[in-house]
Amino acid sequence: MTAPLSPGEEGNPADIANEDEDSLVRYDAMTHELKIFMDGVLHYLGDHPDLRVDGNQIVHSYKSRLKDREHLREKLKRKRSEGRPISTEDLFSRVTDLAGVRIIHLFQEHFGHIDSLVRRKVEAGDWVLGERATAYTWDPEAAEFFKGFDLEVVQKPTAYTSVHYLVRPRADSPLCCEVQVRTLFEEIWGEVDHQINYPVPTENLACKEQIKVLSKIVGAGSRLLDSLHRVHRSLEAGN
């Protein structure tokens, strides 16, 4: 195995290629176990019977993915160019999105049910949080909502909105799954943003402005859905 390069060290191109290949081979060797852990997280949250409220399923849909090998290669190159190289030894502690699960729900007010399920698994000792869960949002009103939970609230200038958990089966395990929880409206914004800004952010001013406008529409749409839901429940209760 090639010796890891020091941070900021440019190194011989052949050594760099060997170092990255060693990391990719290590990832290859771990993908089977990563997938088993990821699938367990996916179905625990996606299919849990407690996420059925008033006869309706809280989870609208869910998806999962293992990181594409070539995308990982690009990430290793990008981190090195930023002066923060990732070695074979610290691959699984530094790259925490090798396995990802996304849980999508309709109403923001249902988020608490999903958060409670994650906490229940942690309290039972089945999962360990790799770090404090984080709610990313640009919306001050949404930020206030998330402050009601045990979350680090971060306002991102990119208008990205989602709650992230890093779960491991135990603290020293190389297995880690990033869980993203967001509303269906936020998922639409995320998919559009991904197509426009990944892997290379757009430099087109009109696209930049319109993606910001879309984020405002998403925020208003999420609040409208919650309002509709509350009115509907009130009518059903005869109030």
Side-chain angles (χ1 to χ4, degrees), residues 40-185:
V41 173
L42 178 72
H43 292 292
Y44 171 76
L45 292 173
D47 301 330
H48 204 290
D50 286 359
L51 292 183
R52 189 169 183 82
V53 176
D54 298 331
N56 296 310
Q57 196 68 33
I58 286 177
V59 175
H60 171 272
S61 53
Y62 52 76
K63 57 179 77 173
S64 66
R65 67 100 181 94
L66 290 177
K67 198 171 193 66
D68 180 86
R69 195 177 195 274
E70 292 310 306
H71 289 169
L72 177 57
R73 188 193 300 276
E74 289 302 312
K75 183 166 190 168
L76 295 175
K77 287 171 62 178
R78 187 175 69 253
K79 290 295 182 182
R80 181 173 288 106
S81 70
E82 295 170 354
R84 299 182 296 161
I86 297 170
S87 71
T88 306
E89 284 68 28
D90 63 12
L91 174 67
F92 292 105
S93 60
R94 297 273 306 281
V95 185
T96 53
D97 63 347
L98 294 172
V101 163
R102 185 172 299 158
I103 304 294
I104 300 163
H105 57 110
L106 274 181
F107 306 110
Q108 189 181 55
E109 62 187 21
H110 281 162
F111 166 77
H113 295 279
I114 301 170
D115 182 73
S116 292
L117 268 191
V118 175
R119 307 289 173 183
R120 188 192 304 177
K121 204 71 169 166
V122 172
E123 288 168 7
D126 296 328
W127 292 349
V128 172
L129 291 179
E131 61 185 30
R132 192 180 182 203
T134 302
Y136 295 100
T137 182
W138 61 271
D139 185 344
E141 195 169 325
E144 284 303 311
F145 170 79
F146 287 124
K147 285 177 183 174
F149 300 88
D150 183 14
L151 298 167
E152 187 77 20
V153 179
V154 176
Q155 290 183 282
K156 299 200 78 169
T158 57
Y160 178 81
T161 303
S162 189
V163 177
H164 287 199
Y165 303 85
L166 294 182
V167 298
R168 296 181 184 275
R170 60 176 195 278
D172 63 346
S173 174
L175 304 178
C176 181
C177 181
E178 181 183 83
V179 179
Q180 300 178 358
V181 180
R182 62 178 66 165
T183 67
L184 185 57
F185 263 119

Side-chain angles (χ1 to χ4, degrees), residues 214-230:
L214 180 61
S215 70
K216 304 297 187 293
I217 294 172
V218 163
S222 293
R223 279 192 276 280
L224 177 59
L225 278 188
D226 278 350
S227 176
L228 279 169
H229 189 236
R230 285 192 292 271

Side-chain angles (χ1 to χ4, degrees), residues 26-36 66-67 92:
R26 192 171 179 218
Y27 173 56
D28 293 340
M30 192 61 75
T31 53
H32 178 66
E33 289 187 56
L34 262 177
K35 186 173 189 313
I36 291 172
L66 290 177
K67 198 171 193 66
F92 292 105

Side-chain angles (χ1 to χ4, degrees), residues 74 78 192-204 207-208:
E74 289 302 312
R78 187 175 69 253
V192 173
D193 178 71
H194 186 80
Q195 289 198 17
I196 292 176
N197 286 316
Y198 186 83
V200 180
T202 182
E203 294 297 326
N204 183 275
C207 284
K208 289 182 178 180

